[in-house]
Amino acid sequence: MSKTTVTFEYEKETKNSVRYQEVPEEGKAPIMGTLYVQKWYAGSSKTLEITIEKKD
């Protein structure tokens, strides 16, 4: 098992959600790319972090 924390920065708002773009670690490819979060949850957050746990 391994855990990775992915950081996302605000990109733009859509009708019902907020779009965030992944900020990849230097020299590495993005893991998730784009993330859409519902406005009621995202609020005015400019940065989100998501922890992913990979189970083998």
Side-chain angles (χ1 to χ4, degrees):
M1 287 188 260
S2 64
K3 288 185 180 183
T4 303
T5 300
V6 182
T7 302
F8 294 85
E9 288 184 347
Y10 174 88
E11 188 172 10
K12 71 176 194 173
E13 287 189 23
T14 62
K15 184 178 179 183
N16 295 313
S17 60
V18 180
R19 187 164 95 179
Y20 292 87
Q21 187 64 40
E22 180 179 349
V23 179
E25 292 181 32
E26 193 171 324
K28 293 189 178 182
I31 296 171
M32 297 178 67
T34 304
L35 176 70
Y36 287 85
V37 179
Q38 296 299 302
K39 283 184 180 179
W40 67 264
Y41 183 81
S44 61
S45 296
K46 297 298 180 192
T47 304
L48 294 177
E49 285 187 354
I50 295 180
T51 302
I52 302 169
E53 183 175 358
K54 182 169 66 171
K55 296 185 179 185
D56 297 321

Short mmCIF file of all heavy atoms in Angstrom, two decimals:
data_model
loop_
_atom_site.label_atom_id
_atom_site.label_comp_id
_atom_site.label_asym_id
_atom_site.label_seq_id
_atom_site.Cartn_x
_atom_site.Cartn_y
_atom_site.Cartn_z
N MET A 1 0.84 -1.19 0.00
CA MET A 1 0.00 0.00 0.00
C MET A 1 0.88 1.24 0.00
O MET A 1 1.89 1.29 0.69
CB MET A 1 -0.89 0.02 1.24
CG MET A 1 -2.02 -0.98 1.20
SD MET A 1 -3.15 -0.76 2.58
CE MET A 1 -2.58 -2.04 3.65
N SER A 2 0.46 2.22 -0.77
CA SER A 2 1.18 3.49 -0.76
C SER A 2 0.16 4.63 -0.83
O SER A 2 -0.89 4.51 -1.44
CB SER A 2 2.15 3.57 -1.94
OG SER A 2 1.45 3.56 -3.16
N LYS A 3 0.51 5.72 -0.14
CA LYS A 3 -0.35 6.90 -0.13
C LYS A 3 0.37 8.05 -0.82
O LYS A 3 1.58 8.21 -0.68
CB LYS A 3 -0.67 7.32 1.31
CG LYS A 3 -1.62 6.40 2.01
CD LYS A 3 -1.97 6.96 3.38
CE LYS A 3 -2.93 6.02 4.10
NZ LYS A 3 -3.35 6.57 5.39
N THR A 4 -0.40 8.82 -1.56
CA THR A 4 0.12 9.99 -2.25
C THR A 4 -0.86 11.14 -2.03
O THR A 4 -2.07 10.96 -2.12
CB THR A 4 0.24 9.73 -3.76
OG1 THR A 4 1.08 8.60 -3.96
CG2 THR A 4 0.81 10.91 -4.49
N THR A 5 -0.33 12.32 -1.74
CA THR A 5 -1.17 13.51 -1.61
C THR A 5 -0.99 14.34 -2.87
O THR A 5 0.13 14.66 -3.26
CB THR A 5 -0.79 14.33 -0.37
OG1 THR A 5 -0.97 13.50 0.78
CG2 THR A 5 -1.66 15.57 -0.24
N VAL A 6 -2.12 14.67 -3.50
CA VAL A 6 -2.12 15.43 -4.75
C VAL A 6 -2.71 16.81 -4.46
O VAL A 6 -3.76 16.92 -3.82
CB VAL A 6 -2.97 14.69 -5.82
CG1 VAL A 6 -2.94 15.44 -7.13
CG2 VAL A 6 -2.47 13.26 -6.00
N THR A 7 -2.05 17.86 -4.95
CA THR A 7 -2.49 19.23 -4.74
C THR A 7 -3.15 19.76 -6.01
O THR A 7 -2.65 19.53 -7.11
CB THR A 7 -1.30 20.12 -4.36
OG1 THR A 7 -0.69 19.59 -3.19
CG2 THR A 7 -1.74 21.55 -4.08
N PHE A 8 -4.25 20.47 -5.83
CA PHE A 8 -4.99 21.06 -6.94
C PHE A 8 -5.16 22.55 -6.69
O PHE A 8 -5.41 22.97 -5.55
CB PHE A 8 -6.38 20.43 -7.07
CG PHE A 8 -6.35 18.99 -7.46
CD1 PHE A 8 -6.20 17.99 -6.52
CD2 PHE A 8 -6.47 18.62 -8.79
CE1 PHE A 8 -6.17 16.66 -6.87
CE2 PHE A 8 -6.44 17.28 -9.16
CZ PHE A 8 -6.29 16.30 -8.20
N GLU A 9 -5.07 23.36 -7.75
CA GLU A 9 -5.29 24.79 -7.66
C GLU A 9 -6.51 25.17 -8.49
O GLU A 9 -6.76 24.59 -9.55
CB GLU A 9 -4.06 25.56 -8.16
CG GLU A 9 -2.90 25.49 -7.21
CD GLU A 9 -1.72 26.34 -7.66
OE1 GLU A 9 -1.69 26.80 -8.83
OE2 GLU A 9 -0.82 26.54 -6.84
N TYR A 10 -7.22 26.18 -8.01
CA TYR A 10 -8.42 26.69 -8.68
C TYR A 10 -8.12 27.04 -10.12
O TYR A 10 -7.10 27.67 -10.42
CB TYR A 10 -8.91 27.94 -7.92
CG TYR A 10 -10.05 28.65 -8.59
CD1 TYR A 10 -11.35 28.30 -8.33
CD2 TYR A 10 -9.81 29.69 -9.48
CE1 TYR A 10 -12.41 28.97 -8.93
CE2 TYR A 10 -10.85 30.36 -10.09
CZ TYR A 10 -12.15 30.00 -9.82
OH TYR A 10 -13.18 30.66 -10.42
N GLU A 11 -9.00 26.63 -11.02
CA GLU A 11 -8.85 26.98 -12.44
C GLU A 11 -10.01 27.87 -12.89
O GLU A 11 -9.79 28.96 -13.39
CB GLU A 11 -8.76 25.73 -13.29
CG GLU A 11 -8.43 26.02 -14.73
CD GLU A 11 -8.14 24.77 -15.53
OE1 GLU A 11 -8.38 23.66 -15.04
OE2 GLU A 11 -7.69 24.93 -16.68
N LYS A 12 -11.27 27.39 -12.72
CA LYS A 12 -12.42 28.20 -13.10
C LYS A 12 -13.69 27.59 -12.54
O LYS A 12 -13.71 26.45 -12.09
CB LYS A 12 -12.53 28.34 -14.62
CG LYS A 12 -12.95 27.08 -15.34
CD LYS A 12 -13.14 27.35 -16.82
CE LYS A 12 -13.88 26.22 -17.50
NZ LYS A 12 -14.21 26.52 -18.87
N GLU A 13 -14.76 28.38 -12.57
CA GLU A 13 -16.07 27.89 -12.15
C GLU A 13 -16.88 27.51 -13.37
O GLU A 13 -16.79 28.13 -14.42
CB GLU A 13 -16.82 28.98 -11.37
CG GLU A 13 -16.27 29.21 -9.99
CD GLU A 13 -17.15 30.12 -9.15
OE1 GLU A 13 -18.37 30.24 -9.43
OE2 GLU A 13 -16.62 30.71 -8.21
N THR A 14 -17.67 26.45 -13.22
CA THR A 14 -18.63 26.06 -14.24
C THR A 14 -20.02 26.26 -13.63
O THR A 14 -20.13 26.82 -12.54
CB THR A 14 -18.41 24.59 -14.67
OG1 THR A 14 -18.61 23.75 -13.55
CG2 THR A 14 -17.01 24.38 -15.22
N LYS A 15 -21.06 25.81 -14.29
CA LYS A 15 -22.42 26.07 -13.82
C LYS A 15 -22.65 25.63 -12.37
O LYS A 15 -23.12 26.42 -11.55
CB LYS A 15 -23.43 25.38 -14.73
CG LYS A 15 -24.86 25.68 -14.36
CD LYS A 15 -25.82 25.02 -15.32
CE LYS A 15 -27.26 25.30 -14.90
NZ LYS A 15 -28.22 24.62 -15.76
N ASN A 16 -22.33 24.38 -12.04
CA ASN A 16 -22.60 23.86 -10.69
C ASN A 16 -21.36 23.41 -9.95
O ASN A 16 -21.45 22.87 -8.86
CB ASN A 16 -23.56 22.68 -10.77
CG ASN A 16 -24.92 23.10 -11.28
OD1 ASN A 16 -25.48 24.08 -10.83
ND2 ASN A 16 -25.44 22.36 -12.25
N SER A 17 -20.19 23.58 -10.57
CA SER A 17 -18.98 23.07 -9.92
C SER A 17 -17.80 24.01 -10.12
O SER A 17 -17.89 25.01 -10.82
CB SER A 17 -18.64 21.69 -10.47
OG SER A 17 -18.43 21.74 -11.86
N VAL A 18 -16.71 23.68 -9.44
CA VAL A 18 -15.46 24.43 -9.56
C VAL A 18 -14.43 23.47 -10.12
O VAL A 18 -14.34 22.32 -9.68
CB VAL A 18 -15.01 24.96 -8.18
CG1 VAL A 18 -13.70 25.73 -8.32
CG2 VAL A 18 -16.08 25.85 -7.56
N ARG A 19 -13.68 23.93 -11.10
CA ARG A 19 -12.67 23.08 -11.72
C ARG A 19 -11.30 23.43 -11.17
O ARG A 19 -10.91 24.59 -11.11
CB ARG A 19 -12.68 23.28 -13.24
CG ARG A 19 -11.77 22.31 -13.96
CD ARG A 19 -12.09 22.28 -15.42
NE ARG A 19 -11.20 23.19 -16.14
CZ ARG A 19 -11.24 23.35 -17.46
NH1 ARG A 19 -12.12 22.71 -18.18
NH2 ARG A 19 -10.40 24.17 -18.03
N TYR A 20 -10.58 22.38 -10.75
CA TYR A 20 -9.24 22.52 -10.21
C TYR A 20 -8.27 21.76 -11.10
O TYR A 20 -8.61 20.71 -11.65
CB TYR A 20 -9.16 21.94 -8.79
CG TYR A 20 -9.95 22.73 -7.77
CD1 TYR A 20 -11.29 22.47 -7.56
CD2 TYR A 20 -9.35 23.73 -7.03
CE1 TYR A 20 -12.02 23.18 -6.62
CE2 TYR A 20 -10.06 24.46 -6.09
CZ TYR A 20 -11.40 24.18 -5.89
OH TYR A 20 -12.12 24.89 -4.97
N GLN A 21 -7.05 22.28 -11.24
CA GLN A 21 -6.01 21.64 -12.04
C GLN A 21 -4.92 21.14 -11.11
O GLN A 21 -4.50 21.86 -10.20
CB GLN A 21 -5.43 22.63 -13.05
CG GLN A 21 -4.45 22.02 -14.03
CD GLN A 21 -5.10 20.99 -14.93
OE1 GLN A 21 -6.22 21.15 -15.40
NE2 GLN A 21 -4.41 19.91 -15.16
N GLU A 22 -4.47 19.94 -11.34
CA GLU A 22 -3.43 19.35 -10.51
C GLU A 22 -2.10 20.09 -10.66
O GLU A 22 -1.74 20.51 -11.76
CB GLU A 22 -3.22 17.88 -10.89
CG GLU A 22 -2.16 17.20 -10.08
CD GLU A 22 -1.99 15.73 -10.44
OE1 GLU A 22 -2.82 15.18 -11.17
OE2 GLU A 22 -1.00 15.15 -9.97
N VAL A 23 -1.40 20.25 -9.55
CA VAL A 23 -0.05 20.81 -9.56
C VAL A 23 0.90 19.63 -9.35
O VAL A 23 1.08 19.17 -8.22
CB VAL A 23 0.13 21.85 -8.43
CG1 VAL A 23 1.53 22.41 -8.44
CG2 VAL A 23 -0.91 22.95 -8.52
N PRO A 24 1.47 19.10 -10.43
CA PRO A 24 2.31 17.91 -10.29
C PRO A 24 3.64 18.25 -9.62
O PRO A 24 4.11 19.38 -9.68
CB PRO A 24 2.54 17.45 -11.73
CG PRO A 24 2.31 18.66 -12.56
CD PRO A 24 1.36 19.54 -11.81
N GLU A 25 4.22 17.22 -8.97
CA GLU A 25 5.54 17.40 -8.39
C GLU A 25 6.53 17.64 -9.52
O GLU A 25 6.37 17.13 -10.62
CB GLU A 25 5.94 16.15 -7.60
CG GLU A 25 5.11 15.92 -6.37
CD GLU A 25 5.56 14.69 -5.61
OE1 GLU A 25 6.78 14.37 -5.64
OE2 GLU A 25 4.70 14.05 -4.99
N GLU A 26 7.57 18.40 -9.22
CA GLU A 26 8.56 18.74 -10.24
C GLU A 26 9.18 17.49 -10.84
O GLU A 26 9.60 16.58 -10.12
CB GLU A 26 9.65 19.62 -9.62
CG GLU A 26 10.53 20.27 -10.64
CD GLU A 26 11.47 21.30 -10.03
OE1 GLU A 26 11.06 21.98 -9.08
OE2 GLU A 26 12.60 21.39 -10.51
N GLY A 27 9.16 17.41 -12.17
CA GLY A 27 9.75 16.29 -12.87
C GLY A 27 8.86 15.07 -12.98
O GLY A 27 9.29 14.05 -13.51
N LYS A 28 7.62 15.15 -12.48
CA LYS A 28 6.70 14.01 -12.55
C LYS A 28 5.46 14.38 -13.35
O LYS A 28 5.06 15.54 -13.40
CB LYS A 28 6.28 13.58 -11.14
CG LYS A 28 7.41 12.99 -10.33
CD LYS A 28 6.89 12.39 -9.06
CE LYS A 28 8.01 11.75 -8.27
NZ LYS A 28 7.51 11.12 -7.04
N ALA A 29 4.84 13.39 -13.94
CA ALA A 29 3.60 13.58 -14.70
C ALA A 29 2.42 13.68 -13.74
O ALA A 29 2.47 13.13 -12.64
CB ALA A 29 3.39 12.42 -15.66
N PRO A 30 1.34 14.38 -14.13
CA PRO A 30 0.14 14.46 -13.28
C PRO A 30 -0.45 13.07 -13.04
O PRO A 30 -0.38 12.19 -13.91
CB PRO A 30 -0.83 15.32 -14.09
CG PRO A 30 0.01 16.04 -15.07
CD PRO A 30 1.19 15.16 -15.36
N ILE A 31 -1.06 12.89 -11.88
CA ILE A 31 -1.70 11.62 -11.54
C ILE A 31 -3.17 11.65 -11.93
O ILE A 31 -3.70 10.71 -12.49
CB ILE A 31 -1.56 11.33 -10.03
CG1 ILE A 31 -0.08 11.15 -9.68
CG2 ILE A 31 -2.37 10.12 -9.63
CD1 ILE A 31 0.20 11.09 -8.20
N MET A 32 -3.85 12.76 -11.62
CA MET A 32 -5.29 12.86 -11.88
C MET A 32 -5.64 13.92 -12.92
O MET A 32 -6.67 13.80 -13.57
CB MET A 32 -6.03 13.16 -10.57
CG MET A 32 -5.90 12.05 -9.56
SD MET A 32 -6.71 12.41 -8.00
CE MET A 32 -8.42 12.42 -8.46
N GLY A 33 -4.87 14.97 -13.03
CA GLY A 33 -5.15 16.01 -14.01
C GLY A 33 -6.16 17.03 -13.52
O GLY A 33 -5.85 17.87 -12.69
N THR A 34 -7.38 16.94 -14.01
CA THR A 34 -8.44 17.90 -13.68
C THR A 34 -9.41 17.29 -12.68
O THR A 34 -9.74 16.11 -12.77
CB THR A 34 -9.20 18.30 -14.96
OG1 THR A 34 -8.25 18.82 -15.90
CG2 THR A 34 -10.25 19.35 -14.68
N LEU A 35 -9.89 18.13 -11.76
CA LEU A 35 -10.82 17.69 -10.74
C LEU A 35 -12.00 18.66 -10.70
O LEU A 35 -11.80 19.87 -10.66
CB LEU A 35 -10.12 17.67 -9.37
CG LEU A 35 -10.96 17.34 -8.15
CD1 LEU A 35 -11.36 15.86 -8.18
CD2 LEU A 35 -10.18 17.64 -6.89
N TYR A 36 -13.22 18.13 -10.74
CA TYR A 36 -14.42 18.94 -10.61
C TYR A 36 -15.03 18.68 -9.24
O TYR A 36 -15.24 17.54 -8.86
CB TYR A 36 -15.45 18.58 -11.69
CG TYR A 36 -15.07 19.07 -13.06
CD1 TYR A 36 -14.23 18.31 -13.87
CD2 TYR A 36 -15.53 20.29 -13.55
CE1 TYR A 36 -13.87 18.74 -15.14
CE2 TYR A 36 -15.19 20.72 -14.81
CZ TYR A 36 -14.36 19.95 -15.61
OH TYR A 36 -14.02 20.39 -16.84
N VAL A 37 -15.31 19.77 -8.50
CA VAL A 37 -15.89 19.67 -7.16
C VAL A 37 -17.15 20.54 -7.12
O VAL A 37 -17.14 21.67 -7.64
CB VAL A 37 -14.88 20.16 -6.09
CG1 VAL A 37 -15.48 20.09 -4.70
CG2 VAL A 37 -13.60 19.34 -6.16
N GLN A 38 -18.20 20.03 -6.55
CA GLN A 38 -19.45 20.78 -6.47
C GLN A 38 -19.25 22.09 -5.69
O GLN A 38 -18.51 22.12 -4.70
CB GLN A 38 -20.54 19.94 -5.80
CG GLN A 38 -20.93 18.71 -6.59
CD GLN A 38 -21.48 19.08 -7.96
OE1 GLN A 38 -22.45 19.80 -8.09
NE2 GLN A 38 -20.84 18.58 -9.01
N LYS A 39 -19.90 23.17 -6.16
CA LYS A 39 -19.74 24.49 -5.56
C LYS A 39 -20.10 24.50 -4.08
O LYS A 39 -19.44 25.18 -3.29
CB LYS A 39 -20.59 25.52 -6.29
CG LYS A 39 -20.00 25.95 -7.60
CD LYS A 39 -20.86 27.04 -8.22
CE LYS A 39 -20.28 27.49 -9.54
NZ LYS A 39 -21.11 28.52 -10.17
N TRP A 40 -21.14 23.74 -3.68
CA TRP A 40 -21.56 23.78 -2.28
C TRP A 40 -20.45 23.28 -1.37
O TRP A 40 -20.35 23.69 -0.21
CB TRP A 40 -22.84 22.97 -2.05
CG TRP A 40 -22.70 21.49 -2.24
CD1 TRP A 40 -22.99 20.78 -3.37
CD2 TRP A 40 -22.24 20.54 -1.28
NE1 TRP A 40 -22.74 19.44 -3.17
CE2 TRP A 40 -22.28 19.26 -1.88
CE3 TRP A 40 -21.82 20.61 0.05
CZ2 TRP A 40 -21.90 18.09 -1.23
CZ3 TRP A 40 -21.44 19.45 0.69
CH2 TRP A 40 -21.49 18.21 0.07
N TYR A 41 -19.56 22.41 -1.87
CA TYR A 41 -18.46 21.90 -1.06
C TYR A 41 -17.20 22.76 -1.23
O TYR A 41 -16.53 23.09 -0.25
CB TYR A 41 -18.13 20.45 -1.41
CG TYR A 41 -17.04 19.90 -0.51
CD1 TYR A 41 -17.35 19.44 0.76
CD2 TYR A 41 -15.72 19.88 -0.91
CE1 TYR A 41 -16.36 18.97 1.61
CE2 TYR A 41 -14.72 19.41 -0.08
CZ TYR A 41 -15.05 18.96 1.17
OH TYR A 41 -14.05 18.52 2.01
N ALA A 42 -16.88 23.12 -2.46
CA ALA A 42 -15.64 23.86 -2.74
C ALA A 42 -15.65 25.24 -2.10
O ALA A 42 -14.61 25.71 -1.64
CB ALA A 42 -15.44 23.97 -4.24
N GLY A 43 -16.81 25.89 -2.08
CA GLY A 43 -16.87 27.24 -1.52
C GLY A 43 -15.90 28.15 -2.23
O GLY A 43 -15.83 28.18 -3.45
N SER A 44 -15.08 28.88 -1.46
CA SER A 44 -14.12 29.81 -2.05
C SER A 44 -12.69 29.29 -1.98
O SER A 44 -11.74 30.05 -2.12
CB SER A 44 -14.23 31.17 -1.35
OG SER A 44 -13.92 31.01 0.03
N SER A 45 -12.53 27.99 -1.78
CA SER A 45 -11.19 27.40 -1.67
C SER A 45 -10.42 27.53 -2.98
O SER A 45 -10.93 27.20 -4.04
CB SER A 45 -11.28 25.91 -1.31
OG SER A 45 -11.86 25.75 -0.06
N LYS A 46 -9.20 28.01 -2.88
CA LYS A 46 -8.34 28.15 -4.06
C LYS A 46 -7.40 26.96 -4.22
O LYS A 46 -6.82 26.76 -5.28
CB LYS A 46 -7.53 29.45 -3.98
CG LYS A 46 -8.39 30.70 -3.98
CD LYS A 46 -9.18 30.83 -5.26
CE LYS A 46 -10.04 32.07 -5.25
NZ LYS A 46 -11.00 32.09 -6.33
N THR A 47 -7.25 26.16 -3.16
CA THR A 47 -6.38 25.00 -3.20
C THR A 47 -7.06 23.83 -2.50
O THR A 47 -7.69 24.01 -1.46
CB THR A 47 -5.04 25.30 -2.49
OG1 THR A 47 -4.44 26.44 -3.08
CG2 THR A 47 -4.08 24.14 -2.59
N LEU A 48 -6.93 22.64 -3.07
CA LEU A 48 -7.43 21.42 -2.46
C LEU A 48 -6.30 20.39 -2.44
O LEU A 48 -5.45 20.39 -3.33
CB LEU A 48 -8.60 20.83 -3.26
CG LEU A 48 -9.89 21.60 -3.33
CD1 LEU A 48 -10.87 20.86 -4.23
CD2 LEU A 48 -10.47 21.80 -1.96
N GLU A 49 -6.33 19.52 -1.43
CA GLU A 49 -5.40 18.41 -1.38
C GLU A 49 -6.21 17.13 -1.23
O GLU A 49 -7.14 17.07 -0.43
CB GLU A 49 -4.44 18.52 -0.20
CG GLU A 49 -3.35 19.55 -0.41
CD GLU A 49 -2.32 19.52 0.69
OE1 GLU A 49 -2.48 18.78 1.68
OE2 GLU A 49 -1.34 20.25 0.55
N ILE A 50 -5.84 16.13 -2.00
CA ILE A 50 -6.52 14.84 -1.94
C ILE A 50 -5.46 13.77 -1.70
O ILE A 50 -4.42 13.77 -2.36
CB ILE A 50 -7.28 14.54 -3.25
CG1 ILE A 50 -8.41 15.55 -3.43
CG2 ILE A 50 -7.81 13.12 -3.28
CD1 ILE A 50 -9.21 15.37 -4.67
N THR A 51 -5.74 12.88 -0.76
CA THR A 51 -4.84 11.77 -0.49
C THR A 51 -5.40 10.52 -1.12
O THR A 51 -6.56 10.16 -0.89
CB THR A 51 -4.64 11.57 1.03
OG1 THR A 51 -4.13 12.79 1.59
CG2 THR A 51 -3.69 10.44 1.31
N ILE A 52 -4.57 9.86 -1.92
CA ILE A 52 -4.96 8.64 -2.62
C ILE A 52 -4.17 7.49 -2.02
O ILE A 52 -2.95 7.58 -1.86
CB ILE A 52 -4.63 8.73 -4.11
CG1 ILE A 52 -5.33 9.92 -4.75
CG2 ILE A 52 -5.03 7.44 -4.83
CD1 ILE A 52 -4.84 10.22 -6.13
N GLU A 53 -4.88 6.42 -1.68
CA GLU A 53 -4.20 5.23 -1.17
C GLU A 53 -4.36 4.10 -2.17
O GLU A 53 -5.47 3.73 -2.54
CB GLU A 53 -4.79 4.82 0.18
CG GLU A 53 -4.09 3.64 0.79
CD GLU A 53 -4.60 3.31 2.18
OE1 GLU A 53 -5.48 4.03 2.69
OE2 GLU A 53 -4.13 2.33 2.74
N LYS A 54 -3.24 3.58 -2.63
CA LYS A 54 -3.24 2.49 -3.60
C LYS A 54 -3.08 1.18 -2.83
O LYS A 54 -2.13 1.01 -2.07
CB LYS A 54 -2.09 2.69 -4.57
CG LYS A 54 -2.01 1.66 -5.65
CD LYS A 54 -1.03 2.02 -6.74
CE LYS A 54 0.38 2.06 -6.26
NZ LYS A 54 1.36 2.21 -7.36
N LYS A 55 -4.04 0.28 -3.03
CA LYS A 55 -4.00 -1.02 -2.35
C LYS A 55 -3.65 -2.09 -3.37
O LYS A 55 -4.27 -2.17 -4.43
CB LYS A 55 -5.34 -1.31 -1.68
CG LYS A 55 -5.66 -0.33 -0.59
CD LYS A 55 -6.92 -0.69 0.13
CE LYS A 55 -7.18 0.31 1.24
NZ LYS A 55 -8.33 -0.06 2.05
N ASP A 56 -2.68 -2.89 -3.03
CA ASP A 56 -2.23 -3.94 -3.95
C ASP A 56 -2.96 -5.24 -3.69
O ASP A 56 -3.43 -5.54 -2.68
CB ASP A 56 -0.73 -4.15 -3.81
CG ASP A 56 0.03 -2.90 -4.20
OD1 ASP A 56 -0.38 -2.23 -5.17
OD2 ASP A 56 1.04 -2.58 -3.53
#
